[in-house]
Amino acid sequence: MTHASTVVHSSKVHETDVVVIGAGQAGLVSAHELQRRGISGYAPRSLPADDDSHVSFVVLDAEDGPGGAWRHRWPGLTMATVNMIADLPGMPSEPQSGKERSSEFIPEYFGDYEDEFDLPIMRPVRVRKVERDGDGFLLTTTAGEFRTRALLNCTGTWEAPFIPWYPGQETFRGIQVHTHDYKQPDQFWRKRTLVVGGGISALDHLDEISKVTKHTFWATRTPPRWKDPREFSEGNPGRGLGAQAGRAVEERVRARTEQGLRPLPVVAETGLPRNEKVRSMEERGLLDRRPMFDRLDANGAWWGEEYVELDAIIWATGFRANLRHLAPLKLHGGKGGILMRGTRVAAYPNLHLLGYGASASTVGARRDSRAAVREIVRHLKTD
């Protein structure tokens, strides 16, 4: 049972110094760091802003309980197959066998963390829009309006699933489901099913549905970038890149965002581990990868003159940053992305995006959240 506040709807504008949007990993790390630096949770601002001991913050989370997007992962996704979940600062997670459902293990861990540090989380509160308000921001939410001097956006990607468009897609009469909505393999019982996507989720779907489908197909936009498991976390291949490789990926992603370019999908940078699970899938003939099809029709897909009948398509095509509520701030530039300086939006000294670009990885989120809070505290002192 967590100490997250029950939402009280009010027409009054709530005043606070820092708002954190989202209580996933980045949001919890940010809240812990704010608290560690003596910033008060829940309490309203009452003394001069340069008195850090009376600067206040609150976390607004759209979910009904702890766990962020992990609450919605499909039941077959276990702790043995998820990307590495870095321990939260000050309280490591319990030992794992790898068989635990991620949709249960991680929310329980996050909930215990919220309890342990009594983090000021209000839920469920959905932020509808964020507008500029003088030097700060005005947030319109399902719990009223919040005025804040600084904003840490930690909304992640789960609510922004991405499905690329292909000719004939709207005419296909079979099942189409994105990873976001995938639940159970039984939905694909005896169906000729195509999995689209080159990431770990696609591999997990292929492995799981192969036990019930009539036939599986796999298509990716580019050839899979297989990597030696030793490049991933030592002793736990497949659950995230090792420190050195991870830093190299983050540097490449950060180089793009600091030019205002759109971040590349994670799989384009990290690759896939050729581990024991992958070798087993190869032996079972599941990884006979095809390039992307040219078009769809009512009953299947075309690769040039080759036609494959299909009953279902699983789009494991990833997610985009969930930033719709920030649209009034007009953050995107002419190069397709947001011009960043680390985690800070270049145009705003008091707005940080965690989970965007290099901070999208779990390890990156932990480190970058702390760095963002340090910048926010400095900004509040000099504002």
Side-chain angles (χ1 to χ4, degrees):
M1 178 124 186
T2 70
H3 294 145
S5 286
T6 302
V7 174
V8 177
H9 296 263
S10 171
S11 59
K12 177 184 176 182
V13 176
H14 307 284
E15 302 275 353
T16 189
D17 293 285
V18 184
V19 169
V20 179
I21 305 178
Q25 185 166 31
L28 295 183
V29 174
S30 297
H32 180 269
E33 185 68 12
L34 286 163
Q35 190 181 73
R36 191 183 71 82
R37 289 175 174 272
I39 298 180
S40 305
Y42 301 111
R45 187 168 70 241
S46 57
L47 290 180
D50 58 357
D51 186 337
D52 286 348
S53 64
H54 292 276
V55 175
S56 62
F57 82 100
V58 69
V59 182
L60 306 180
D61 186 49
E63 297 291 344
D64 292 327
W70 292 102
R71 296 166 55 84
H72 308 293
R73 296 298 201 269
W74 59 97
L77 187 66
T78 66
M79 293 304 294
T81 54
V82 299
N83 283 325
M84 184 179 65
I85 303 302
D87 283 340
L88 298 170
M91 194 181 101
S93 63
E94 294 292 327
Q96 310 157 30
S97 68
K99 297 179 180 179
E100 301 88 350
R101 289 182 176 181
S102 63
S103 59
E104 297 174 355
F105 183 89
I106 296 173
E108 183 176 354
Y109 172 44
F110 283 11
D112 290 344
Y113 191 84
E114 293 176 11
D115 274 351
E116 177 68 20
F117 296 103
D118 191 21
L119 299 177
I121 300 170
M122 298 178 65
R123 63 165 61 99
V125 179
R126 184 172 293 276
V127 177
R128 300 296 190 192
K129 64 178 178 178
V130 177
E131 300 171 283
R132 192 164 187 170
D133 184 60
D135 292 331
F137 304 99
L138 182 67
L139 284 66
T140 301
T141 82
T142 53
E145 293 183 321
F146 289 76
R147 182 176 289 117
T148 185
R149 298 165 62 200
L151 187 63
L152 289 159
N153 190 82
C154 307
T155 47
T157 62
W158 183 254
E159 293 302 322
F162 172 71
I163 297 179
W165 181 83
Y166 283 88
Q169 192 169 335
E170 69 282 358
T171 69
F172 182 65
R173 293 188 298 199
I175 296 169
Q176 293 192 66
V177 63
H178 188 275
T179 293
H180 178 276
D181 302 304
Y182 175 94
K183 298 300 179 186
Q184 296 281 359
D186 288 350
Q187 182 179 7
F188 306 95
W189 176 260
R190 302 298 293 166
K191 290 180 170 58
R192 294 168 61 85
T193 304
L194 171 67
V195 176
V196 180
I200 289 177
S201 293
L203 294 183
D204 201 65
H205 296 330
L206 272 170
D207 184 42
E208 191 169 60
I209 69 169
S210 67
K211 301 175 177 66
V212 299
T213 51
K214 185 175 183 179
H215 196 90
T216 60
F217 305 89
W218 183 32
T220 68
R221 187 174 56 84
T222 59
R225 296 178 58 190
W226 299 109
K227 292 193 174 183
D228 190 301
R230 288 173 295 185
E231 294 186 60
F232 288 72
S233 299
E234 184 177 353
N236 205 358
R239 292 188 56 205
L241 287 177
Q244 183 174 354
R247 282 193 295 270
V249 167
E250 289 173 13
E251 287 172 4
R252 292 196 295 271
V253 174
R254 184 170 287 111
R256 289 183 60 85
T257 58
E258 293 195 347
Q259 296 176 60
L261 299 171
R262 182 174 61 83
L264 291 175
V266 172
V267 68
E269 294 294 330
T270 59
L272 296 168
R274 192 181 290 277
N275 55 23
E276 183 177 343
K277 174 181 175 178
V278 167
R279 289 192 292 271
S280 172
M281 293 175 69
E282 286 177 322
E283 292 172 1
R284 291 155 54 202
L286 299 180
L287 301 184
D288 183 15
R289 172 258 174 191
R290 293 168 172 259
M292 284 302 298
F293 48 81
D294 300 310
R295 59 188 175 92
L296 295 168
D297 66 16
N299 300 304
W302 291 89
W303 281 264
E305 297 300 316
E306 182 187 2
Y307 184 69
V308 173
E309 291 187 4
L310 297 171
D311 302 303
I313 301 173
I314 301 176
W315 297 93
T317 44
F319 300 79
R320 297 292 184 261
N322 178 20
L323 303 176
R324 289 185 292 269
H325 53 292
L326 301 180
L329 300 179
K330 299 179 180 179
L331 302 182
H332 286 82
K335 296 182 179 180
I338 300 171
L339 184 63
M340 303 291 292
R341 295 293 177 262
T343 62
R344 180 177 64 80
V345 176
Y348 291 90
N350 52 350
L351 173 57
H352 288 254
L353 307 182
L354 295 158
Y356 179 83
S359 64
S361 72
T362 54
V363 176
R366 173 171 172 165
R367 183 186 60 251
D368 288 348
S369 297
R370 287 172 157 177
V373 168
R374 287 196 297 270
E375 287 194 36
I376 288 292
V377 171
R378 283 198 297 269
H379 171 76
L380 294 178
K381 287 182 177 180
T382 58
D383 185 20

